[in-house]
Amino acid sequence: FFPYATEAVWTLADDRSVYIVEHPDGAGNSVVTIFLDDLDAHVAASAARGLEPDERLTYSNGVRKALYHDPDGNELGFGGAPLDAGS
């Protein structure tokens, strides 16, 4: 939904939303990360649509992240739990 002409809210799941505000003076500097239950499935589904991550990271604690960048320099990241988190 759109609270105001320069704002948007997307509901991702129950009690989980993304809120975005248009900020023309800051264009090209946004960073958004969404933590997913199944990072690998999401990355595979995106790849099937022709979108490959620009970078994949694994932090020292095992948390993983796939990063996508647009031509303006904005970054969208998807994070996931360590692969052995369920063991």
Side-chain angles (χ1 to χ4, degrees):
F1 67 94
F2 300 93
Y4 298 97
T6 59
E7 300 177 1
V9 178
W10 284 273
T11 301
L12 304 175
D14 289 342
D15 300 320
R16 291 176 179 89
S17 300
V18 173
Y19 168 72
I20 297 178
V21 177
E22 183 180 314
H23 188 315
D25 295 335
N29 297 310
S30 71
V31 175
V32 175
T33 300
I34 300 169
F35 203 85
L36 304 169
D37 289 335
D38 191 340
L39 175 63
D40 296 326
H42 181 78
V43 170
S46 296
R49 292 176 176 86
L51 297 171
E52 295 287 343
D54 296 309
E55 189 175 356
R56 292 179 190 229
L57 305 170
T58 301
Y59 296 100
S60 62
N61 62 359
V63 169
R64 299 166 301 126
K65 191 173 184 182
L67 299 173
Y68 300 81
H69 298 94
D70 72 9
D72 293 326
N74 298 298
E75 176 183 293
L76 177 59
F78 295 97
L83 289 175
D84 61 355
S87 358

